[in-house]
Amino acid sequence: MSRGTMYGIIGLAVIAALLVFSCGGPKDPVVAKVGDHGITLGDFNIAYKAITIFNRPPLVTYEDAEAFLQTLINKEILVTEAKSRGLDRDPLLQKARENWLMEQCIRTLFKEVAEADMQITLAEVEDYYRRARSQVRARQILVGTLPAAEEIRRKLEKGEDFAVLARANSIDEASRALGGELGVVDHGQLDPPLERAVFSLNPGEISEPVRTALGFHILQVQEKIEPSMDDFEEQRHACAAELRSRRRNENWSTYLAEVESRLDIRFNDENVHAFNDALPPRENAQSSDWYQKMDDAFRARVLAEYAGGTWTVGEFLGQYGPDVGGLPFRSEDADMIYRVSEAAIVNKWNYDEAKRRGLDRLDETIRAVDRKEQERLLELLHDDLVKDAVVPDEKVRELYEEQKAALIMPDRAHLMIINTPDVEMAKEARDKLRRGVPFEEVSKEYNEGALRELGGDMGMRLRSNIAPELIPYAFGRLRPGQVSDVVPHRQGYFVAKLVALEREHPMTYEESEPELRGMLLAATQDSVFAEWILAKREEVGVEIFPESLNLIVEEAETEEP
C-alpha cells in the first residue's frame, strides 16, 4: 500500500503535518479522550495551525472540526502503539532524529545569519529597479569550438560585418537567419553565463567567447534600454522583495565563505581515490557487497583534515552509507566524495555553531523534530502491521483475465546515447561507433556525469520518456544496431544507437503481473490497516465531547479572515 493511501485512512496528508500534542493549561477544555489521554482545545489548535494555510482543511461546521479531530485521535493511537512496540528505539530512527535536529538547527541558523541586515532604503530599491529591469538589444554568433569562436572574434575586431559572419558561421538556426539578432533581452531570459556577459557589455562591445552547453557564443550589445521610472511604483514592492532575497543569499554566501576559510579543509587525495575505487558504479549503487567488505582499518582512513578535526571513511558512511539509506557510488575523479565530504564538514561546523547559539533548545526546533519522528513512527508501524499481507497468485490471474482487453504495452525503445556540447565531438563519436568501436569506450570518452556512469545505456523506455529529438530515430528511422546521425537539441548534440524496439501490443500476463500484484497488495494492506485501527479504537476507548468541540467552530466564526 502506498504511503498516500495509508495517510488517506488516517486523515489524508494532514496526519503528516500534525504537531506533537502540547500540554494544555489546567482549564483548557478537553475535546476528546483516547483511553486515559485527553486531547485539549489547545492541542487541537496547535496541530491545526501547524499545517500550512494552503493545506489546512476547512473548519466551518461541527463536522469539519470532528473530521480533523479524528485524525488527531488516530495519530495518538498510532504513535502510542508504535512506542509500545519499541519502534522509537530503532537505531536508524535515532540516527535520523539527530540528522533532523541538525537540519532544523542549520535552517534556523540560516534565518539568523541571512536576515541579519534586511533594512533597505528607497534609494537602494530604485537603484535595483534600474539594474534589474533594464534591457539590452543584442546579437550572437554560436559555434562549436573555442578556436572557431576566437577566430570570429578576431575578424570582428578587424571590422568584418557581424551579420555576415553570423549567417555564415552560427549554428543557432533561429538567430542565424536574422544575422545573429536576439532582439530585446530581459534579465532572466538567457542562461546565467550569457546573461552575465551580455549585461556587462557597453553598446558596440564584443564579448570574449562564452561557453554554454550549446557551444561557444560571441555576443555584441547594440543598445542598452533603461526602464522608465513611470513604472517604478508598480514594481517597487516586487523589487524590494527581490532585493531582500538577494541580500539573504549574499549574507549566507559571505558567511559560508568565512566558515570554509576558517575550516581550511585539506583532502587526502590518496585515501579519497582508494575509497572511490571501493564504491560500486552508479548503476549498481543498490548493491551492499562492497559495504560488508570494509574493515575497521579502512573505515578509519582519513579523507580530510580541517581546523578542529578529521573526516574519515567511517564518518562518511555513518551519514551517507547504506545503513542510513544512502547510495554512494563511484564517480569520475571521486567528484561525489569530494562534494559530499565538503558539504558534510561545513554542515557539522554550522550545527555546532547553531548549538552554541542555543538554537537546538528552541521550542520551534524541538516540535519540528518531534513531528518528523512521529511521521517516521507511523511509517514503521504501518510496515509492521501489513508485513504479512499477501496476494494469492490466483487473485492476480483473475484480475488479469478481467482487465486484459484494456492492458496495452505502449511502444518502447532501448537506446544508447552520446551527448556532447560540441558538434565536432558528436561527429567524431558517431564515426567511431559506425566503425565498430564499442559503445562503452565511446561513452567513456565523450559522455559526462551520470550518462558516462551508465555507459550511455538508457535502457528500455516508453516514448514519453525519450527526448523528443530522438523519437523519430527510436521509432522509425533506425533499425536495431544502427547509429543515428548527429541530432541537435537545446543543450548540445545527441548520437544514438537503437538496441531494441518493441511496438505497442496487448500485455502478456508476465508483463502485467508486477503492476497488478502491486494494486492488489495495496488494497489488501489498506484493508488490514483500516481493520486494525478500528479494532484498536474499540480497545482503547474513544470519547468526543461535542460541547468543547463546538468552541472550535465558534472561534473560527469570529476569527478575522
Side-chain angles (χ1 to χ4, degrees), residues 28-29 31 40-49 56 58-62 65 546-561:
D28 203 1
V31 293
T40 68
L41 187 62
D43 296 331
F44 186 104
N45 286 329
I46 288 174
Y48 185 73
K49 290 175 181 177
R56 289 177 191 167
L59 285 184
V60 179
T61 65
Y62 176 88
E547 64 278 8
S548 298
L549 195 57
N550 266 320
L551 295 174
I552 295 168
V553 180
E554 293 170 8
E555 181 182 334
E557 289 174 348
T558 59
E559 236 177 39
E560 291 186 11

Side-chain angles (χ1 to χ4, degrees), residues 369-386:
V369 174
D370 285 347
R371 201 160 52 234
K372 284 183 174 291
E373 180 182 48
Q374 291 185 1
E375 292 170 17
R376 181 64 60 83
L377 282 174
L378 296 182
E379 294 177 358
L380 293 172
L381 177 62
H382 166 265
D383 292 344
D384 198 36
L385 290 172
V386 304

